[in-house]
Amino acid sequence: MPEIALTAWQILLVKVLVILTIVPVGALAGGYAEHKVMAHLQHRLGPMYPGGFHGWATTLADGLKFLYKEDIVPDAADRKVFSLAPAAIFVPVLMIYLVIPIDRNLIVEDLDVGIFYLLAVGSISTIGVLMAGWSSANKYALIGALRSAAQLIAYELPIVLSAAVVAMYAGSLSVIDIVEKQNFPFAIWPPGIGLIAFLVFTTGAVAEMTRVPFDMPVAESEIITGPFTEYTGMRYIFSHMFAEMGHMVAFAGIGVTLFLGGYKPIIPWSPLEVVPGVIWFGLKFALMIFLFLWIRPTFPRVREDQLQKFAWKFLIPVSLVLVLAMGAWVLYV
Amino acid sequence: MAVDERKLSDARKLSDARKSGFGLGLLKGMAVTLKHLFKHNTVIQYPDEKQDLPPRTRGVIALKEENCTVCMLCARECPDWCIYIDSHKETLPPKRAGGRPRKRNVLDRFAIDYSLCMYCGICVEVCPYDALFWSREFEYSEYDIRQLTHEKERLADWMTTVLPPPELEQGADLPGQPAAAAASATVEATGARPANLTSSAVEARPEQAATAPREGSFTTEPARPASSLPPQEQKRETSPEDAQPAPGLDTEVKAAQGLPGATTQPEPEVTLGAGRAAESVTQPADTAQVGSDATSAPEGQPPQKTPSVAAEPAVTAAEPVSQAGLRNLGGQAPVARPSTEPAGVAEDPEAAYRRVLQEQASRGSSPQVAEARAKVARVKAERGMARTATPAPATAPVQSAPQATPTEPEPSGAPEAQGPAPEPGPVAPTADEDRTDG
């Protein structure tokens, strides 16, 4: 096999292109999965027509529809900010994918500060949401943006702390190191701590994605998708649909990496090692996605004050305790 | 106090539920949705799959035009005033010389505006002649609201979608049959009557005859022994409801439609037990006569065996009819003679007049109604006498004028051949008399 000599820039370009393809496709697939899984959880069929077989092309057709829609900017809107906001929301979501290891070698860039980067980049979209809400010159958008900011701040902390617990256990911030350290998935071992950390992370992730039951910021029945009320066409799907779906896929990847042992088998048993890491990652990833989809039709929306109370008075203390417990575990076990 | 108690117990239940464990409720909820994920999905994908709607679904209202007498009851009862009826009166020449010209309502327009209709079904309920039916069809939406007004052609088209009426329940009273009479009949005359119970079956028949008045098919037999029919046929015969299935049903049903009419006499006179014996003596002769005129003359008159008891006419008066009967029976096997009347015996017109007057009085009819019915009886008796006096020759030409009119009996389609109204005699409307030249 001839060596193909590629410069670092060329390699980077290929990787970025792959990511740029995977994210929208993943968002479309995630959207379809959401339609169908949610429908069946609610004893419905969901879309059945587009594409012929069980409506597989539903989200594709949806996207196409949005492509054709008029791009409207309200008169009173701050035009520049309004136009930039979708990018500010969507690009950070893309950046999360850079450090998710699908297999030992299938990662765009194994950064030494992988988790730190993940959490830092993951929070940038909040700024985009605030931009969108403020520049829309719409009271619903503003309310939604402020709720969104408050919620993202409140739930970023439990996520950061639960990720810190994992980093303490692994003794590294690199995602590859973290995965390699997990002989058993972290959610199983160390007992108790791992599981609780996983639950805290999942809860925080659902809130970060502003999905049900934490969808106060985009509550369609009261503030009409909040910050994205004024958006139409492609800007709308990039800022809302793709961002939410991309977020979901990204958080599922992070969850798999940090808590479910990433590309490694569920238990350290040599016959299972034969199965390629991509398959293991895919299985765990599907499990995480299903968990997110499962939560959505099950629970009703949480009230704004309950949502804040739950984060500050319960999740954050719990994750602080987890950090303490993990410290003790690292020191004495 | 009670309310407070309830509130307290609710609160207690709630707190108990909360005590059961933190987060357990969430897990329970997730279990519920997960269960549904694996349940068989019962969604019917409508335009592709269609639900089998219940038989009594209120989809659209169908019109059986030939049953409509333009009585306007439906239009008047309609809460939305969404039924439009136009009609005119036609005068038909008398059936025979010296007769009275008959009047008949002709339906010009019958339309239902489904953009107003609220599907209450009152028109269907109120129609005394079974001209309106519910159909299960419901796909008739239109882009233009004016198209939702269905004219009579379209309403008639819906008839093809009307289901045949359901079978009577075991032991149910015959529709249109007074409960007391039904009780006196020893065997339920409805569905399950075995074919060999001749006497009881026959017992039930005169009532049938009395309550199912039409003269569309006289030449079939009022007196045909019930046992001569297969049980299914009997069933059809004995339930007047069955006389109005949708057109386009199989011919067997059509043939059966003609049958109840066969047993009939004109409505007003005969309804209840008291009048029946006398009626069966006088009236059938007349009706048989008319029927023979209408179809072909020969078999109106020939001497018949005379049943001694009114309740038992059917057994004895069986004499095969060769041709005319077949016309109405749609080619059915040999049938018995139409008449229960002793040949040559006719009631004196004046006597009939007085008798009917008395009957009506004893039934509590209003003087006007009583008189009208008595007059009708007198006219009939007169005609009966005239006919017995001059029997029609076997080759007598068929009277032509009335034949052409729509009042003539048709094998299955004409109004008279259709099943009778379920009402027993007392309701007999005079309009009907006019129309049928009773």
Side-chain angles (χ1 to χ4, degrees), chain B residues 261-278:
Chain B
T263 65
T264 60
Q265 308 166 1
E267 211 163 58
E269 287 81 12
V270 191
T271 49
L272 293 173
R276 198 165 65 232

Side-chain angles (χ1 to χ4, degrees), chain A residues 96-117:
Chain A
I96 297 175
Y97 286 78
L98 293 180
V99 289
I100 294 174
I102 295 169
D103 203 346
R104 199 172 316 247
N105 299 314
L106 267 180
I107 180 170
V108 175
E109 207 58 66
D110 177 21
L111 299 174
D112 287 345
V113 288
I115 290 190
F116 181 76
Y117 168 83

Side-chain angles (χ1 to χ4, degrees), chain B residues 104-126:
Chain B
R104 177 176 169 274
N105 287 324
V106 181
L107 189 62
D108 295 327
R109 182 184 185 221
F110 192 106
I112 298 179
D113 187 350
Y114 284 108
S115 64
L116 294 177
C117 178
M118 62 180 192
Y119 302 91
C120 62
I122 288 176
C123 52
V124 178
E125 293 290 319
V126 85

Side-chain angles (χ1 to χ4, degrees), chain A residues 31-82:
Chain A
Y32 175 69
E34 172 144 40
H35 279 311
K36 293 304 271 191
V37 171
M38 218 165 79
H40 283 274
L41 284 167
Q42 292 175 328
H43 217 112
R44 297 182 286 118
L45 288 178
M48 291 298 283
Y49 287 98
F53 179 75
H54 285 261
W56 65 269
T58 307
T59 40
L60 208 63
D62 264 0
L64 215 61
K65 178 193 75 180
F66 277 114
L67 210 64
Y68 282 106
K69 289 211 168 180
E70 188 186 357
D71 181 28
I72 297 171
V73 180
D75 273 349
D78 185 339
R79 222 184 164 80
K80 275 180 200 158
V81 180
F82 187 84

Side-chain angles (χ1 to χ4, degrees), chain A:
Chain A
M1 195 173 150
E3 281 286 314
I4 302 170
L6 292 173
T7 64
W9 281 109
Q10 284 168 327
I11 293 173
L12 195 62
L13 190 69
V14 169
K15 284 175 169 175
V16 167
L17 282 179
V18 167
I19 293 295
L20 281 178
T21 321
I22 283 179
V23 175
V25 169
L28 288 178
Y32 175 69
E34 172 144 40
H35 279 311
K36 293 304 271 191
V37 171
M38 218 165 79
H40 283 274
L41 284 167
Q42 292 175 328
H43 217 112
R44 297 182 286 118
L45 288 178
M48 291 298 283
Y49 287 98
F53 179 75
H54 285 261
W56 65 269
T58 307
T59 40
L60 208 63
D62 264 0
L64 215 61
K65 178 193 75 180
F66 277 114
L67 210 64
Y68 282 106
K69 289 211 168 180
E70 188 186 357
D71 181 28
I72 297 171
V73 180
D75 273 349
D78 185 339
R79 222 184 164 80
K80 275 180 200 158
V81 180
F82 187 84
S83 309
L84 276 177
I89 295 167
F90 188 62
V91 170
V93 175
L94 284 180
M95 289 164 71
I96 297 175
Y97 286 78
L98 293 180
V99 289
I100 294 174
I102 295 169
D103 203 346
R104 199 172 316 247
N105 299 314
L106 267 180
I107 180 170
V108 175
E109 207 58 66
D110 177 21
L111 299 174
D112 287 345
V113 288
I115 290 190
F116 181 76
Y117 168 83
L118 260 180
L119 300 173
V121 162
S123 322
I124 295 179
S125 0
T126 313
I127 296 173
V129 172
L130 268 176
M131 283 163 69
W134 184 262
S135 64
S136 291
N138 179 314
K139 59 187 169 195
Y140 295 125
L142 188 59
I143 292 170
L146 293 177
R147 280 182 184 180
S148 190
Q151 179 169 326
L152 292 183
I153 290 167
Y155 283 87
E156 197 67 37
L157 278 172
I159 290 180
V160 169
L161 290 173
S162 60
V165 169
V166 182
M168 286 166 76
Y169 175 71
S172 167
L173 288 175
S174 155
V175 283
I176 294 284
D177 286 354
I178 286 172
V179 172
E180 288 300 321
K181 182 78 181 179
Q182 298 177 50
N183 284 328
F184 286 96
F186 186 74
I188 299 174
W189 190 264
I193 301 175
L195 186 63
I196 294 173
F198 176 63
L199 292 178
V200 168
F201 172 83
T202 310
T203 313
V206 172
E208 282 267 300
M209 293 182 268
T210 59
R211 284 174 63 86
V212 178
F214 303 111
D215 63 338
M216 222 46 207
V218 292
E220 76 282 352
S221 51
E222 39 180 301
I223 53 174
I224 325 143
T225 60
F228 314 114
T229 293
E230 296 289 358
Y231 282 92
T232 57
M234 282 314 276
R235 283 212 174 89
Y236 175 72
I237 27 175
F238 269 112
S239 61
H240 185 48
M241 298 301 206
F242 279 2
E244 189 184 317
M245 276 299 138
H247 246 113
M248 190 171 85
V249 173
F251 270 110
I254 297 171
V256 169
T257 306
L258 297 187
F259 296 97
L260 299 181
Y263 49 80
K264 290 173 78 175
I266 300 173
I267 48 169
W269 185 41
S270 51
L272 291 178
E273 306 277 0
V274 178
V275 181
V278 180
I279 305 272
W280 282 116
F281 185 87
L283 285 176
K284 293 169 181 177
F285 178 77
L287 194 76
M288 276 302 279
I289 293 279
F290 179 74
L291 189 63
F292 289 144
L293 298 183
W294 186 9
I295 287 170
R296 181 165 175 189
T298 306
F299 301 123
R301 182 179 298 147
V302 177
R303 217 168 51 209
E304 186 65 29
D305 62 320
Q306 295 171 330
L307 186 141
Q308 291 292 335
K309 264 188 213 160
F310 183 64
W312 293 104
K313 290 188 175 174
F314 180 74
L315 276 188
I316 293 173
V318 164
S319 39
L320 284 172
V321 170
L322 277 179
V323 171
L324 278 180
M326 198 64 224
W329 174 278
V330 169
L331 277 181
Y332 299 110
V333 177

Side-chain angles (χ1 to χ4, degrees), chain B residues 63-302:
Chain B
L63 169 71
K64 187 160 196 169
E65 196 189 331
E66 54 269 35
N67 277 8
C68 180
T69 63
V70 202
C71 69
M72 303 292 285
L73 280 179
C74 50
R76 275 187 282 174
E77 293 295 328
C78 177
D80 287 342
W81 287 83
C82 68
I83 302 181
Y84 308 105
I85 300 177
D86 289 339
S87 71
H88 66 272
K89 258 192 168 54
E90 255 179 17
T91 306
L92 301 174
K95 273 192 174 173
R96 60 191 66 74
R100 161 174 71 115
R102 292 164 298 153
K103 284 197 191 111
R104 177 176 169 274
N105 287 324
V106 181
L107 189 62
D108 295 327
R109 182 184 185 221
F110 192 106
I112 298 179
D113 187 350
Y114 284 108
S115 64
L116 294 177
C117 178
M118 62 180 192
Y119 302 91
C120 62
I122 288 176
C123 52
V124 178
E125 293 290 319
V126 85
C127 180
Y129 301 107
D130 280 352
L132 294 174
F133 296 89
W134 275 117
S135 158
R136 298 191 296 175
E137 295 300 309
F138 59 94
E139 295 163 315
Y140 48 95
S141 55
E142 300 281 357
Y143 286 108
D144 185 346
I145 197 172
R146 287 166 294 187
Q147 303 293 318
L148 278 174
T149 303
H150 292 195
E151 295 295 335
K152 72 179 177 193
E153 291 77 19
R154 188 140 184 229
L155 291 174
D157 285 346
W158 290 123
M159 271 311 289
T160 55
T161 64
V162 173
L163 294 182
E167 297 284 321
L168 287 179
E169 278 176 28
Q170 187 100 17
D173 286 347
L174 274 180
Q177 187 176 21
S184 72
T186 50
V187 181
E188 62 279 34
T190 53
R193 184 178 62 210
N196 56 2
L197 281 181
T198 313
S199 64
S200 59
V202 169
E203 233 174 342
R205 292 203 52 82
E207 276 146 21
Q208 189 58 29
T211 54
R214 285 300 154 184
E215 56 180 56
S217 45
F218 299 123
T219 47
T220 62
E221 27 53 276
R224 182 182 56 184
S227 56
S228 71
L229 287 174
Q232 229 187 356
E233 281 294 308
Q234 287 179 16
K235 204 192 299 174
R236 287 225 176 82
E237 231 183 331
T238 48
S239 62
E241 252 184 56
D242 276 337
Q244 300 92 14
L249 292 181
D250 54 306
T251 52
E252 190 193 13
V253 177
K254 275 189 173 172
Q257 278 180 354
L259 288 179
T263 65
T264 60
Q265 308 166 1
E267 211 163 58
E269 287 81 12
V270 191
T271 49
L272 293 173
R276 198 165 65 232
E279 290 303 324
S280 62
V281 174
T282 56
Q283 296 304 328
D286 184 40
T287 56
Q289 206 65 44
V290 176
S292 64
D293 282 348
T295 54
S296 68
E299 62 290 319
Q301 284 318 307

